[in-house]
Amino acid sequence: MDDTATPAARPGKRPGTARRRLLAAAARRFYADGVSATGIDTITAEAGVAKMSLYNNFSSKADLVLAYLDERHEEWLGLYRQRLAEARDPRGGVLAVFDAYADHAAFAYERGFRGCGLLNAAAELPAGHEGRDLVRRHKEEVEALLAGHLGELLPDRPEEARALAEQLSFLLEGAMARAGLEGAATRVVRARAMAADLLDRL
């Protein structure tokens, strides 16, 4: 996602300038090169801060990774809220979720679009890692947002609304995976069109 967004502070941390620069550098490097391949020295050099500044803001690289994942989640929510503000009805709310993902895919990335930064990071983390739980909760929240809009659209068919939310979340994740492989937002835009067609048939 966009690496210039203002980071949300983790509990107990104040969002100072060094912290913002470290998070922005980590976002660029983790997305472009991967979490495992990116060392602390690389991040501090890119951020233009001393290594001690990193440890004054984060207890470890693992803590920085969690902050990065928090940041990506909040950034996506910001994109979604911008799109939702333009929606006129629950149908538009559903499509706002797809539009937010398309906006994410359309950013200018150093080495091109590589798919969902959260899932890319989660794929590098071991089972049971707190970061994987954070990514899972993000994906569950996205599905819950879809379910909420669909619940408004189908107030008398709650089971159908929940099932459709799951289907659309699968469509969205599949589109993001293909878009990441192809390096462009085209598949997400196509997925949005499919979702719109499905909603028009309800």
Side-chain angles (χ1 to χ4, degrees):
M1 288 187 177
D2 182 13
D3 300 324
T4 62
T6 302
R10 287 175 62 77
K13 304 288 187 181
R14 284 194 272 174
T17 301
R19 182 180 174 83
R20 287 196 299 270
R21 290 166 67 181
L22 286 162
L23 277 169
R28 288 190 296 272
R29 297 276 56 84
F30 287 161
Y31 191 83
D33 305 325
V35 171
S36 298
T38 302
I40 293 298
D41 290 342
T42 298
I43 292 168
T44 54
E46 179 146 340
V49 302
K51 188 179 291 188
M52 186 56 65
S53 291
L54 188 142
Y55 291 112
N56 285 339
N57 287 278
F58 306 96
S59 61
S60 62
K61 179 183 173 182
D63 189 36
L64 176 59
V65 170
L66 292 178
Y68 162 70
L69 295 174
D70 278 344
E71 188 76 357
R72 299 287 70 76
H73 173 66
E74 291 300 322
E75 186 174 66
W76 183 85
L77 284 176
L79 294 172
Y80 162 71
R81 289 174 185 134
Q82 288 175 13
R83 287 296 191 163
L84 184 61
E86 302 168 4
R88 293 177 292 183
D89 52 31
R91 178 185 181 278
V94 171
L95 297 179
V97 175
F98 283 80
D99 287 333
Y101 272 80
D103 290 341
H104 161 52
F107 282 131
Y109 295 98
E110 182 180 321
R111 297 183 182 170
F113 179 64
R114 298 181 57 244
C116 175
L118 290 170
L119 282 181
N120 291 349
E124 297 190 57
L125 302 175
H129 191 284
E130 184 181 352
R132 290 177 66 88
D133 291 337
L134 195 156
V135 174
R136 175 181 52 78
R137 290 194 298 272
H138 166 76
K139 298 302 182 181
E140 289 172 349
E141 184 170 347
V142 171
E143 186 171 328
L145 291 170
L146 289 168
H149 295 307
L150 289 164
E152 293 181 55
L153 199 59
L154 305 170
D156 301 322
R157 296 143 67 185
E159 291 185 10
E160 183 178 347
R162 285 192 295 272
L164 184 55
E166 183 178 39
Q167 292 171 19
L168 289 179
S169 70
F170 289 170
L171 172 63
L172 186 54
E173 292 302 328
M176 281 293 284
R178 288 290 296 273
L181 289 171
E182 295 168 8
T186 307
R187 295 289 179 174
V188 183
V189 174
R190 287 283 299 122
R192 183 198 190 279
M194 292 176 192
D197 182 60
L198 191 156
L199 293 172
D200 289 341
R201 298 184 189 190
L202 293 177

